[in-house]
């Protein structure tokens, strides 16, 4: 039987229970052997707009998010490759590394409308079966024939969490329970989100 491999990419700045819920639901509903949470090195669609937390820190946070979760793994493949993170390149590499595997690309519903603007989007859809996961607050008419996976709704975004984390680091304000304690420990230990990450642009190019 070929391995069924889920690829779930993101900026994960920071990772949260919405991400974890998606990865778990994909694993269970699609009978995936493994789900790789692929941490973008340079999320080229976001990095011109705001400062992105260094990739090594985001990798550590995602590692803490999935620690002890059967079948869920953090992947540094895009960080090791460096430069802008193109999903098509990641899928090609996964295909080479896992020749027999069936690939499933998991994306949130908020990304469906923008998908045609992704680098080599037609090729992406050829390399992997695309699975769209439901996300509270987002609707789209464009189903593109892809499978829609309804997951337990977790209404949270990294954007709102970054704002809370700044206040948390500044004066110990409460942080949403959507950030699990293990991830919060990494944030504390590494002193992340101390400054206003949303108003400076320093893209992590390499
Ligand atoms: P930001 O607010 O910084 O734009 P984000 O919360 O959307 O970030 P990403 O790291 O960009 O998080 O998301 C990675 C993937 O997870 C994307 O496919 C996105 O659609 C999906 N996703 C993020 N949050 C949720 C959620 N709450 N429910 C379902 N899918 C989600």
């Amino acid at each position: 039987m070929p391995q069924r491999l889920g690829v779930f990419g993101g900026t994960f700045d920071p990772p949260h229970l919405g991400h974890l819920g998606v990865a778990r639901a994909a694993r269970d509903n699609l009978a995936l052997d493994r789900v790789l949470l692929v941490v973008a090195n340079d999320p080229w669609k976001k990095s011109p707009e705001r400062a992105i937390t260094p990739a090594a820190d985001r990798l550590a946070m995602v590692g803490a998010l999935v620690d002890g979760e059967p079948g869920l793994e953090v992947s540094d493949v895009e960080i090791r490759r460096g430069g802008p993170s193109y999903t098509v390149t990641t899928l090609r590499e996964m295909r080479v590394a896992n020749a027999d595997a069936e690939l499933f690309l998991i994306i949130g519903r908020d990304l469906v409308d923008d998908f045609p603007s992704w680098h080599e989007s037609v090729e992406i859809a050829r390399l992997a079966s695309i699975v769209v996961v439901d996300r509270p607050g987002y609707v789209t008419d464009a189903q593109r024939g892809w499978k829609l996976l309804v997951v337990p709704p977790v209404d949270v975004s990294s954007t709102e969490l970054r704002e809370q984390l700044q206040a948390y680091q500044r004066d110990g304000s409460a942080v949403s329970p959507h950030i699990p304690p293990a991830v919060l420990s990494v944030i504390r230990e590494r002193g992340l989100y101390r400054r206003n990450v949303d108003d400076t642009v320093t893209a992590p190019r390499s």
Side-chain angles (χ1 to χ4, degrees), residues 3-96:
Q3 205 187 49
R4 292 166 67 83
L5 183 60
V7 178
F8 181 39
T11 306
F12 303 114
D13 190 12
H16 50 66
L17 291 185
H19 297 128
L20 187 59
V22 165
R24 282 176 175 155
R27 176 194 62 198
D28 297 343
N29 288 292
L30 304 170
L32 302 180
D33 298 293
R34 298 158 68 206
V35 178
L36 301 182
L37 286 83
V38 183
V39 179
N41 179 61
D42 172 6
W44 56 283
K45 282 187 166 277
K46 293 184 179 185
S47 53
E49 308 296 330
R50 67 170 182 86
I52 307 288
T53 299
D57 293 327
R58 290 181 286 112
L59 185 74
M61 290 189 282
V62 177
L65 182 80
V66 300
D67 189 34
E69 280 285 331
L72 306 190
E73 297 168 29
V74 60
S75 167
D76 66 353
V77 64
E78 293 185 348
I79 298 172
R80 279 190 281 115
R81 192 165 72 232
S85 299
Y86 296 124
T87 301
V88 71
T89 314
T90 301
L91 292 174
R92 282 193 184 115
E93 286 184 11
M94 301 253 170
R95 170 104 5 272
V96 171

Side-chain angles (χ1 to χ4, degrees), residues 4-189:
R4 292 166 67 83
L5 183 60
V7 178
F8 181 39
T11 306
F12 303 114
D13 190 12
H16 50 66
L17 291 185
H19 297 128
L20 187 59
V22 165
R24 282 176 175 155
R27 176 194 62 198
D28 297 343
N29 288 292
L30 304 170
L32 302 180
D33 298 293
R34 298 158 68 206
V35 178
L36 301 182
L37 286 83
V38 183
V39 179
N41 179 61
D42 172 6
W44 56 283
K45 282 187 166 277
K46 293 184 179 185
S47 53
E49 308 296 330
R50 67 170 182 86
I52 307 288
T53 299
D57 293 327
R58 290 181 286 112
L59 185 74
M61 290 189 282
V62 177
L65 182 80
V66 300
D67 189 34
E69 280 285 331
L72 306 190
E73 297 168 29
V74 60
S75 167
D76 66 353
V77 64
E78 293 185 348
I79 298 172
R80 279 190 281 115
R81 192 165 72 232
S85 299
Y86 296 124
T87 301
V88 71
T89 314
T90 301
L91 292 174
R92 282 193 184 115
E93 286 184 11
M94 301 253 170
R95 170 104 5 272
V96 171
N98 308 273
D100 293 334
E102 196 178 342
L103 300 182
F104 295 83
L105 179 69
I106 302 149
I107 63 170
R109 202 166 187 164
D110 52 304
L111 302 180
V112 172
D113 287 344
D114 188 49
F115 182 83
S117 76
W118 291 21
H119 191 60
E120 292 191 56
S121 64
V122 173
E123 184 63 7
I124 292 175
R126 212 184 57 74
L127 287 164
S129 302
I130 298 178
V131 179
V132 178
V133 289
D134 214 2
R135 181 169 184 180
Y138 293 92
V139 284
T140 171
D141 292 334
Q143 200 45 55
R144 306 187 199 286
W146 298 333
K147 183 178 173 63
L148 175 67
L149 188 64
V150 177
V151 300
V154 182
D155 192 2
V156 68
S157 71
S158 296
T159 301
E160 71 193 65
L161 294 175
R162 283 192 299 278
E163 285 163 16
Q164 287 181 19
L165 283 165
Q166 254 182 273
Y168 169 79
Q169 293 286 39
R170 193 175 56 238
D171 54 29
S173 308
V175 187
S176 155
H178 289 122
I179 303 187
V183 174
L184 200 54
S185 295
V186 175
I187 291 169
R188 255 197 329 264
E189 281 158 19

